[in-house]
Amino acid sequence: MDLFRGLSAFPITPCDAAGQVDVDALQRLLSRLVDAGVDSIGLLGSTGSYPYLTRPARGRAIEAAVEITRGRVPLLVGIGALRTDDAVRLAVDAREAGADALLLAPVSYIPLLEDEVFAHFATVAAATDLPLCVYNNPGTTGFTFSPSLLGRLSRLPNIVAAKNPSAPTEEMAARHGALADAAAAGFSLGYSVDWHANEALIAGGTTWYSVAAGLFPEPCLGIVRAVQAGEHEQARQMNLALEPLWKLFRTYSSYRVVHAAAQVVGVTDTDPPLPILPLPGNVRDEISRVLERLNLD
């Protein structure tokens, strides 16, 4: 099975107010994804609240996930941290707990330079033998990977993929082409930003790293399978049908919406970690109506 191809579903990490992982709720979420047949699971991504969790909490989440996914669905684990040595320790923890691959974002407080990011990734990638995916998420890290930097990283041992933000339809082909031209042969270029991801796949992206799929895998799988079959217009229509959900994501942020949606469908009753506040009741009612209209409830 190709880890960096198809649909990678990114679930939330249910936790209590003290940051302790709700193992039962997490495993319920993961079982839904395994049963649906997603191609991989992205644990402790941005949707999974990785910056808000302690090292022990992250470790418990990985152990709980491996119990569900081992031998069934590949597990990609986020290891982002401010310090390089902390990211190395998290990489080793993930490897020892049974992760199949790593996902690394250039978390920072002081804005990072390209050479600093390159050294950070080279050091972390060398810490284990696991394949590593570059997490290009400028919306949270403030750092954007240039095609040239991504090309340099793609030629390092163990760095085999990138998760990039997808672009609007009219820009996507050129964006993907620039990255593909810079990257080493065989390097996997995948995309996030759910409402544009179908066009990223049509443009040649290998993987959709999806927030929505972490809770609602079936419609997202339908889009991916349609693109893989060459049924591009069908994929576009399926994506358009999810526009009410995409509008919620754009309006309130996918992170907040998916946490509320998980409560609406009864998978967990936990809130996002403070200082992130739960969405107010009127917005939760709006989310509930949209999920009912889309038969996602």
Side-chain angles (χ1 to χ4, degrees):
M1 181 180 295
D2 189 342
L3 173 59
F4 299 105
R5 186 169 299 277
L7 181 67
S8 188
F10 278 61
I12 66 172
T13 307
C15 293
D16 65 18
Q20 300 301 307
V21 175
D22 183 338
V23 169
D24 290 341
L26 177 59
Q27 291 188 329
R28 285 196 299 272
L29 279 166
L30 297 173
S31 293
R32 288 163 60 105
L33 306 182
V34 172
D35 292 344
V38 300
D39 297 300
S40 65
I41 292 173
L43 189 75
L44 300 177
S46 294
T47 305
S49 304
Y50 77 91
Y52 300 95
L53 299 179
T54 64
R55 183 180 174 190
R58 293 195 199 194
R60 187 68 192 98
I62 300 169
E63 291 170 357
V66 169
E67 289 178 9
I68 301 298
T69 63
R70 189 188 296 276
R72 303 173 71 190
V73 175
L75 185 66
L76 171 66
V77 173
I79 56 166
L82 277 169
R83 293 176 56 92
T84 299
D85 52 2
D86 285 338
V88 165
R89 282 187 279 270
L90 291 167
V92 173
D93 289 349
R95 171 69 176 83
E96 292 178 349
D100 297 295
L102 306 173
L103 177 69
L104 178 62
V107 182
S108 67
Y109 177 77
I110 304 300
L112 297 174
L113 305 176
E114 285 205 350
D115 284 346
E116 293 168 337
V117 171
F118 182 86
H120 179 66
F121 274 74
T123 300
V124 177
T128 77
D129 59 353
L130 291 181
L132 185 145
C133 179
V134 173
Y135 192 180
N136 183 10
N137 190 9
T140 58
T141 66
F143 183 88
T144 300
F145 286 81
S146 66
S148 61
L149 175 58
L150 201 59
R152 291 171 63 198
L153 291 170
S154 73
R155 290 167 173 82
L156 290 177
N158 298 337
I159 300 182
V160 300
K163 175 182 184 290
N164 299 290
S166 55
T169 301
E170 64 275 11
E171 303 173 20
M172 194 59 245
R175 178 81 60 84
H176 177 75
L179 295 175
D181 288 345
F187 189 79
S188 172
L189 292 169
Y191 294 91
S192 59
V193 185
D194 281 354
W195 52 94
H196 292 315
N198 68 312
E199 294 298 333
L201 295 176
I202 290 169
T206 58
T207 315
W208 176 9
Y209 298 97
S210 173
V211 175
L215 189 57
F216 307 116
E218 288 84 0
C220 301
L221 271 170
I223 293 170
V224 171
R225 298 298 182 246
V227 174
Q228 290 174 332
E231 301 290 344
H232 295 172
E233 288 310 313
Q234 180 183 352
R236 289 185 171 111
Q237 290 304 312
M238 296 170 78
N239 185 70
L240 183 61
L242 292 175
E243 174 56 25
L245 180 62
W246 303 152
K247 183 178 179 181
L248 290 173
F249 279 14
R250 293 191 298 268
T251 303
Y252 303 110
S253 86
S254 60
Y255 180 85
R256 292 180 174 87
V257 170
V258 77
H259 275 80
Q263 294 183 352
V264 169
V265 301
V267 178
T268 176
D269 60 359
T270 57
D271 290 323
L274 293 172
I276 309 299
L277 295 175
L279 290 170
N282 64 313
V283 177
R284 289 170 54 87
D285 291 343
E286 181 182 356
I287 293 169
S288 182
R289 289 191 297 269
V290 167
L291 298 184
E292 182 177 6
R293 190 187 326 158
L294 296 178
N295 294 317
L296 297 175
D297 57 341

